[in-house]
Amino acid sequence: MADVAEKAGVSRALVSIVFRDLPGAGRETRERVLRVADELGYRPDNAARLLARGRSRTLGVMFTVHQTFQADLVEGIYPEAERLGYEVLLSATGQGRTEAKAVEALLSHRCEAVILLGPDAAAADLDALGHRTVAVSVGRRVPQARVDSVHTAEGKGVRQAMDHLVELGHRRIVHIDGGRGPGSAERRRAYRAAMRRHGLEAELRVIPGEHTEQSGIETGRLLLAERDSGRPLPTAVLAGNDRCAMGLLMALTRAGVDVPRDLSVVGYDDSHLSHLMPIGLTTVRQDAVLMAEHAVRFAVDRLEDQDLEPREAVLDPKLVVRGTSGPAPAQETA
């Protein structure tokens, strides 16, 4: 700012007035200051100005790089944050970078609140974080912690998927578990309950897994190896999420299994990749934009009123039927 003032032949205070668009500078002076600033490549430091007022107006977002649905959530967070006058800063978890490290990076950059996408931390740690700063959990319900939460009614989504498969005549329906991934425990419970409700408890099978393509590939290899040993393939698989479902599809199609004629596959999330495949994935849709909007509003509301009790937004899922689900093989329904 001092460099601009010197070259434009005005005071630093007048440069400040121009950049804050306040009255006190004539049109000619204003144009000269802006022209000089452009020549020098100067841009006002809005972050520094906000910090001088004790605010950063920045929301931090913790996410996992390879989770496609979280990328959809991030895309929805930006416009809502901008609409409410906030910037967004991202911090990723990954190999060798824990959630705690990702969150501390956001706080060290003076984020006023943190939005956690699919947090895996213990409830006690999330509660401690909620007492330090404003925090919102997306995709995971944490009733024991002082954080707001936004998630889908997981059980309802699984019921829709299971009813769809049973109506198509499927009985041997396997579930690939999502491990500790967000929503996994609820989806696992809902699968078990649906199998019992449809009188299929004898066919119930949960295969341990994760929310990754590799988990789907490994499950596919397991099922194919079992088939080669004389155990028939299931007629349908409910995967823990879309990434897992895509890995499963890769393993099956490479081995010559026809989806959905030989085996139906259903995912969960309806991430943007689910409908870009040669055969569209039947999946349970979570509304990423609506979830993102709720998360941003929860964070901003709590910044304005720290005494609010923790809130929870539970959004309705919707089954999206595409090309990977079809009638059970004829011999199964005969």
Side-chain angles (χ1 to χ4, degrees):
M1 198 180 289
D3 292 340
V4 174
E6 181 179 356
K7 186 168 182 179
V10 298
S11 69
R12 180 169 172 167
L14 192 57
V15 172
S16 177
I17 285 172
V18 170
F19 278 112
R20 286 186 292 162
D21 201 24
L22 298 174
R27 182 175 62 83
E28 215 173 277
T29 301
R30 188 178 298 274
E31 289 175 354
R32 184 167 74 255
V33 168
L34 293 174
R35 184 176 65 253
V36 168
D38 188 56
E39 291 170 0
L40 294 175
Y42 173 77
R43 295 292 182 273
D45 191 338
N46 293 325
R49 187 174 75 247
L50 287 167
L51 286 174
R53 299 177 187 172
R55 295 289 305 272
S56 71
R57 294 194 74 82
T58 301
L59 304 178
V61 178
M62 183 206 79
F63 72 110
T64 302
V65 173
H66 297 298
Q67 289 294 354
T68 52
F69 182 67
Q70 291 187 14
D72 295 345
L73 288 168
V74 168
E75 192 173 19
I77 284 171
Y78 272 103
E80 184 65 7
E82 184 176 341
R83 186 183 73 81
L84 296 174
Y86 283 79
E87 295 289 340
V88 174
L89 185 65
L90 303 179
S91 185
T93 64
Q95 194 76 24
R97 195 164 197 263
T98 64
E99 288 188 4
K101 188 176 289 187
V103 169
E104 287 304 320
L106 294 172
L107 296 179
S108 69
H109 283 84
R110 298 181 183 267
C111 291
E112 295 187 11
V114 290
I115 297 174
L116 312 171
L117 305 186
D120 190 37
D125 293 333
L126 292 175
D127 184 56
L129 177 63
H131 282 85
R132 287 176 61 197
T133 189
V134 172
V136 182
S137 168
V138 180
R140 177 184 169 193
R141 180 174 180 265
V142 197
Q144 314 95 311
R146 191 179 186 277
V147 298
D148 295 314
S149 63
V150 181
H151 62 95
T152 298
E154 310 282 355
K156 187 173 183 180
V158 169
R159 283 195 300 274
Q160 291 178 17
M162 294 295 291
D163 289 350
H164 168 66
L165 291 172
V166 171
E167 286 169 7
L168 289 170
H170 294 278
R171 295 181 56 81
R172 287 186 287 112
I173 306 169
V174 167
H175 175 51
I176 308 175
D177 184 30
R180 296 182 61 186
S184 294
E186 292 84 355
R187 293 171 199 177
R188 181 170 58 249
R189 284 195 295 268
Y191 161 78
R192 292 180 182 277
M195 290 293 280
R196 287 191 293 267
R197 180 165 53 87
H198 287 292
L200 302 176
E201 192 165 10
E203 304 289 350
L204 190 155
R205 186 183 182 191
V206 177
I207 298 177
E210 295 178 334
H211 284 171
T212 63
E213 291 87 356
Q214 188 59 35
S215 177
I217 291 170
E218 291 172 0
T219 299
R221 289 172 179 166
L222 170 66
L223 296 175
L224 291 166
E226 291 177 347
R227 180 195 63 178
D228 294 341
S229 299
R231 181 174 183 172
L233 286 172
T235 64
V237 176
L238 172 65
N241 74 342
D242 288 352
R243 289 182 65 196
C244 180
M246 291 174 192
L248 176 65
L249 287 169
M250 288 171 58
L252 293 175
T253 54
R254 285 173 181 171
V257 176
D258 188 299
V259 177
R261 187 188 66 191
D262 301 328
L263 186 152
S264 290
V265 177
V266 178
Y268 202 109
D269 282 343
D270 195 27
S271 59
H272 65 276
L273 295 180
S274 64
H275 46 84
L276 298 179
M277 303 168 57
I279 176 172
L281 178 67
T282 295
T283 184
V284 178
R285 182 172 190 262
Q286 299 192 86
D287 192 328
V289 171
L290 196 57
M291 292 174 77
E293 290 173 352
H294 272 82
V296 171
R297 287 199 291 269
F298 274 3
V300 172
D301 287 349
R302 188 168 294 283
L303 286 171
E304 295 174 357
D305 184 358
Q306 297 280 347
D307 294 328
L308 284 173
E309 288 297 313
R311 293 168 299 168
E312 179 181 8
V314 184
L315 308 182
D316 280 336
K318 181 182 180 182
L319 180 68
V320 181
V321 178
R322 297 194 180 99
T324 60
S325 62
Q331 65 269 26
E332 298 294 329
T333 56

